[in-house]
Structure formats: C-alpha cells, structure tokens
Amino acid sequence: MADRPSVLFVCVHNAGRSQMAAAWLTRLSGGAVEVRSAGSAPGEAVNPVAVEAMREVGVDIAAERPKLLTPDAVQTSDVVVTMGCGDACPFFPGVRYEDWVLDDPAGQGIEVVRPIRDEIRRRVLGLLDELGVEPVDA
C-alpha cells in the first residue's frame, strides 16, 4: 500500500451508499486517503434523500455525480469496498476487497436513510483504523 492509501467505493448506481461512504472517508481522513466512488450502472444523479441525510450531519454531496466503474479504478486502488454490485465488480490480484452489506437507500425516506448513513460512518471509521489513519473529525 502506498503512503497515501487509495479506497474505491462501489455500488450499482453510485447514487447513495457509495457516495455517502466516499464523503465520510474524505471528511474523516482529512485528505490522508485517496477516495473514489463509482457504479457498475451509474444513475442519473445522486439520491436526493442521501444528499439530505448527509447535509444533516454537515457533509455536502449535492455537487457529486454518479461515475462509471472502470477496471483501472479498481486496479489502482488499495482497497475496494463493494456495496451490492455483485458480479459487475472486476477482480484484480493484490487489491483488498471488502463487501459491506447495507440496505439500499433508493426509494427510501429520510427515516430509513439516516441509519444507513450512520452505519456507513461507523464502517468508515473502522476502515480508517485498519489503514492506520487517525480520523480528523470523528
């Protein structure tokens, strides 16, 4: 792993879970981790309820846009965290993979998305610990 580890978050539409995870890791790592997110079938826009849920905790993801997952993004990452992308995620030797089983916020109200947001934050803090990166805004 490089001095500055690289983490890629992947879900199908790159509109909810992976966007929230990328935003949490960006915030909590203070730039100590290279953070990316992508989707195997990117949506048109980030889920507005995910945007609202993150805004509630002071994290703005309104300007983010879903991005297409590429083999290069996977191959150049130290850690790839999948969230329900199934077989669409390419596999490369030497890359660490984790699968986070999380409810999909698509079509859900804010009351359902808040616990997903909070669980993602908890897992991101655990990932930072595993990477040996001290959180800056825990």
Side-chain angles (χ1 to χ4, degrees):
M1 198 173 307
D3 290 340
R4 183 172 178 240
S6 175
V7 176
L8 171 65
F9 293 102
V10 182
C11 65
V12 174
H13 300 297
N14 188 223
R17 295 167 288 188
S18 57
Q19 291 284 351
M20 289 190 287
W24 274 128
L25 186 56
T26 298
R27 164 70 66 89
L28 295 169
S29 75
V33 177
E34 180 185 359
V35 182
R36 292 177 281 185
S37 70
S40 54
E44 294 289 319
V46 175
N47 179 334
V49 181
V51 172
E52 179 184 351
M54 293 301 285
R55 187 176 290 131
E56 288 180 350
V57 293
V59 180
D60 185 6
I61 62 171
E64 297 299 326
R65 297 289 170 254
K67 295 164 281 308
L68 179 64
L69 175 65
T70 64
D72 184 61
V74 175
Q75 194 169 17
T76 58
S77 297
D78 296 307
V79 180
V80 175
V81 178
T82 58
M83 304 171 187
C85 75
D87 294 336
C89 296
F91 179 83
F92 292 96
V95 175
R96 176 178 149 197
Y97 292 86
E98 289 189 21
D99 186 49
W100 291 359
V101 178
L102 297 160
D103 291 335
D104 189 346
Q108 302 295 328
I110 192 71
E111 304 79 22
V112 174
V113 176
R114 284 181 186 126
I116 298 168
R117 170 201 68 201
D118 297 344
E119 177 62 15
I120 291 171
R121 181 183 185 279
R122 185 188 72 72
R123 292 181 189 211
V124 164
L125 286 169
L127 179 60
L128 282 170
D129 185 56
E130 292 170 10
L131 294 172
V133 175
E134 190 70 30
V136 296
D137 188 22

